[in-house]
Amino acid sequence: MSGPIVVDSVAALSAQIRDWRREGLKIAMVPTMGALHDGHISLVRIALEQAERCVVSIFVNPAQFAPTEDLDKYPRQLAHDLERLREAGAHLVFTPGVAEMYPAGFATRISVGGPSSGLETDFRPTFFDGVATVVTKLFLQAAPDCAVFGEKDYQQLCVVRQLCRDLDLPVEIIGAPTVRDPHGLAMSSRNAYLGEAELNVARKLNVILRQTAAALAAGADDAGATDNATEALLGAGFRKVDYVAAREAVTLGPWRRDREGRLLAAAWLGTTRLIDNVEIPSA
Amino acid sequence: MSGPIVVDSVAALSAQIRDWRREGLKIAMVPTMGALHDGHISLVRIALEQAERCVVSIFVNPAQFAPTEDLDKYPRQLAHDLERLREAGAHLVFTPGVAEMYPAGFATRISVGGPSSGLETDFRPTFFDGVATVVTKLFLQAAPDCAVFGEKDYQQLCVVRQLCRDLDLPVEIIGAPTVRDPHGLAMSSRNAYLGEAELNVARKLNVILRQTAAALAAGADDAGATDNATEALLGAGFRKVDYVAAREAVTLGPWRRDREGRLLAAAWLGTTRLIDNVEIPSA
């Protein structure tokens, strides 16, 4: 089987999209930063169920990294990624360089309020501006009918939904369940930073979150349950806990027991920051 | 001759645009805040030369008015506007209400740097965020091939060009020459605020700007010439001068004599703020 078309310019991407549009083909997009794992491949599979053509972008977006963050060491492995995308059946891979996405003189920033408040933003204040700006550009470049985002980055999924609604971007946003290893650890490109001992600690994150969500669903006090979860994470070997928070599932506003809820967390293992989230079953 | 289609919902707009797209018709857009005068009508005429269908939006955008500004008293005269657009041959007029453009929960803001620095932004700090956000929405709603903006709002024209380039909005931006009365006064909806005595003062703005641009082209010192212009405006009867500034014509960065320049000004007559700009002929 032949591999996907690989293009690194907006012009080549747009030309191919125009051809597919002319043929009346439905197009789904999966934006990624590469270092692809089974989680990403599940997004490609969903995209292929939704549309006749699947476009995957691989772009490590500097705009969503703070100067202190891991932009330079973020894993890059294009050959491996292309092989996985060929196996998965993606049709086109867009691999722009930084100068293609942000040419000299680039000066525009998109800020999404609402679901971007708090959680990740308390610790990565410019992160979602970087996400919103690059996602808008990718959607305007590739003009997909729909795009698939993983629930692993749950706040990002909510922010992208709000972005599309607010700007009238004509792209349907599909949220995809988090893919986990047999121990429940959410797949993440950053797991590659972890040694075996750290992996064993990392695997406790999802367990503690599920226990806490169950406690909340059973009536436990919100502040008490999330404080307990923080203590449990530190006791399990996490170095620092940025947050454990129960939120309303769509707006990410304060959780109310009569609404669908989401329990979200971010915690550090050594120099690696992990995030995860689980549903809070409704009462 | 029958008048333009008038729609006030994004859904109705998009449905009509889809039909025209299916017929392969080229679409030009003229975004306005209504209170249409000969300047706007010239934009419609240019749009009709460029495309087979002309869409005019009429939306007094609250996001580009500060709380202290003239949002409430900004002239609204829809029947008159529709009559002028019928005469001009516009095909569709989009007249959304505020809740259609900014539904409950709306939370996204687009900031364009570069040409938005200084000038208007020093006096209306959130103005271009409001412009960039609404223009992006209008372009995504109407998906025009091109859009026509007047040079009267010269900084806005530069900001919209930067916005489209930065976000890959597939809309060609066409700048249209300022339409002036026989005395050279730039057409503006805010001229309606002026009495006869004030109009006579207002008409000096373009004269002083043209004299100053000629002096600059002839080698006059930049700071000296713009200071003289400020004095001349105050002497002519303007109450306050926000700025008179020579800038590079495309980036609005510092003017250099070997580049095309633009002389821009904003000044107050009573409670009315007027802006204008002229070319600085290159040396």
Side-chain angles (χ1 to χ4, degrees):
Chain A
M1 181 197 161
S2 72
I5 304 164
V6 182
V7 300
D8 58 12
S9 73
V10 175
L13 171 67
S14 301
Q16 181 59 70
I17 298 288
R18 255 196 311 276
D19 285 353
W20 286 340
R21 287 258 162 251
R22 216 172 283 130
E23 296 173 51
L25 297 171
K26 186 173 173 185
I27 298 167
M29 183 164 208
V30 179
T32 83
M33 300 210 301
L36 303 183
H37 50 63
D38 290 350
H40 297 105
I41 300 306
S42 78
L43 307 183
V44 172
R45 244 179 252 125
I46 291 169
L48 289 166
E49 287 163 16
Q50 295 288 327
E52 287 134 321
R53 289 293 178 273
C54 171
V55 173
V56 178
S57 61
I58 296 180
F59 179 60
V60 182
N61 177 28
Q64 68 197 61
F65 288 78
T68 55
E69 290 180 345
D70 59 344
L71 173 63
D72 289 338
K73 77 164 184 170
Y74 197 86
R76 288 162 174 87
Q77 43 186 50
L78 186 59
H80 162 272
D81 290 347
L82 292 178
E83 176 57 19
R84 293 224 57 181
L85 292 172
R86 188 190 63 75
E87 290 165 8
H91 297 90
L92 186 147
V93 184
F94 178 45
T95 59
V98 171
E100 184 71 7
M101 292 296 277
Y102 304 116
F106 181 90
T108 296
R109 192 180 71 244
I110 301 182
S111 304
V112 181
S116 75
S117 303
L119 304 172
E120 288 298 294
T121 299
D122 287 341
F123 299 90
R124 311 181 72 187
T126 62
F127 176 71
F128 286 119
D129 286 7
V131 168
T133 306
V134 83
V135 165
T136 300
K137 282 178 65 76
L138 289 168
F139 285 179
L140 287 167
Q141 292 162 350
D145 299 284
C146 62
V148 190
F149 288 81
E151 288 184 349
K152 157 70 161 43
D153 298 287
Y154 192 84
Q155 191 177 9
Q156 171 176 277
L157 173 61
C158 297
V159 168
V160 169
R161 285 199 162 116
Q162 172 94 31
L163 170 73
C164 290
R165 196 167 46 234
D166 281 359
L167 292 188
D168 306 277
L169 276 161
V171 182
E172 183 198 356
I173 304 303
I174 298 164
T178 303
V179 175
R180 299 177 180 279
D181 81 359
H183 307 272
L185 174 64
M187 296 281 171
S188 166
S189 303
R190 291 190 170 95
N191 292 350
Y193 300 154
L194 304 175
E196 196 54 40
E198 287 177 320
L199 271 174
N200 282 328
V201 178
R203 286 170 177 142
K204 310 250 170 78
L205 176 54
N206 77 94
V207 176
I208 291 167
L209 285 182
R210 277 186 286 111
Q211 288 167 344
T212 306
L216 287 166
D221 169 66
D222 183 343
T226 53
D227 283 354
N228 288 347
T230 299
E231 288 310 310
L233 288 167
L234 295 170
F238 281 89
R239 177 173 66 79
K240 193 163 69 128
V241 176
D242 280 351
Y243 60 84
V244 178
R247 294 297 183 95
E248 197 273 315
V250 174
T251 61
L252 298 186
W255 178 53
R256 290 164 36 181
R257 285 173 192 281
D258 59 340
R259 296 277 185 89
E260 203 192 327
R262 202 86 191 177
L263 183 68
L264 305 98
W268 292 83
L269 262 176
T271 56
T272 302
R273 187 172 182 275
L274 299 181
I275 61 173
D276 200 356
N277 66 89
V278 298
E279 190 187 348
I280 306 173
S282 50
Chain B
M1 179 194 163
S2 72
I5 304 164
V6 181
V7 300
D8 59 10
S9 75
V10 176
L13 172 66
S14 302
Q16 181 58 68
I17 298 288
R18 255 197 312 277
D19 284 353
W20 285 340
R21 288 257 162 251
R22 217 173 281 129
E23 294 173 53
L25 298 172
K26 186 172 174 186
I27 298 167
M29 184 165 206
V30 179
T32 83
M33 301 209 301
L36 303 184
H37 50 63
D38 290 350
H40 296 105
I41 299 307
S42 78
L43 307 183
V44 172
R45 245 179 252 124
I46 292 169
L48 288 167
E49 288 163 15
Q50 295 287 326
E52 287 133 322
R53 291 292 179 271
C54 171
V55 173
V56 177
S57 60
I58 296 180
F59 179 59
V60 183
N61 178 28
Q64 68 198 59
F65 288 78
T68 55
E69 290 179 345
D70 58 345
L71 173 62
D72 288 338
K73 77 164 182 168
Y74 196 86
R76 288 164 175 85
Q77 43 187 50
L78 187 59
H80 163 271
D81 290 348
L82 292 178
E83 176 56 20
R84 294 224 58 181
L85 292 172
R86 189 191 62 74
E87 290 165 8
H91 298 89
L92 186 147
V93 183
F94 178 45
T95 60
V98 172
E100 183 72 8
M101 292 298 277
Y102 304 116
F106 181 91
T108 295
R109 193 181 70 242
I110 301 184
S111 304
V112 180
S116 75
S117 303
L119 303 172
E120 288 299 293
T121 299
D122 287 341
F123 300 89
R124 311 180 72 187
T126 61
F127 175 72
F128 286 119
D129 287 6
V131 169
T133 305
V134 83
V135 165
T136 301
K137 282 178 65 79
L138 288 169
F139 284 0
L140 287 166
Q141 291 162 351
D145 297 285
C146 62
V148 190
F149 288 81
E151 288 184 349
K152 157 70 162 42
D153 298 286
Y154 192 84
Q155 190 177 11
Q156 171 177 276
L157 172 62
C158 297
V159 168
V160 170
R161 285 200 163 116
Q162 172 93 30
L163 169 73
C164 290
R165 198 168 44 234
D166 282 358
L167 293 188
D168 306 276
L169 277 159
V171 181
E172 183 198 356
I173 303 303
I174 299 165
T178 302
V179 175
R180 300 177 180 278
D181 81 358
H183 307 271
L185 174 64
M187 296 280 171
S188 165
S189 303
R190 290 189 171 96
N191 292 350
Y193 300 154
L194 304 176
E196 196 54 41
E198 287 176 320
L199 270 175
N200 283 328
V201 178
R203 284 168 177 145
K204 310 250 172 79
L205 175 56
N206 77 93
V207 177
I208 292 167
L209 285 182
R210 277 186 287 113
Q211 288 167 345
T212 306
L216 287 166
D221 169 65
D222 182 343
T226 52
D227 283 354
N228 288 347
T230 298
E231 287 311 308
L233 288 167
L234 294 171
F238 281 88
R239 178 174 64 80
K240 193 164 69 128
V241 176
D242 281 350
Y243 60 83
V244 179
R247 294 296 185 92
E248 198 272 315
V250 175
T251 62
L252 297 186
W255 177 53
R256 289 165 36 183
R257 284 173 192 282
D258 59 340
R259 296 275 185 88
E260 203 193 327
R262 203 87 191 177
L263 183 69
L264 305 98
W268 291 83
L269 261 176
T271 56
T272 302
R273 187 173 183 274
L274 298 181
I275 61 173
D276 199 356
N277 65 89
V278 299
E279 191 187 347
I280 306 173
S282 49

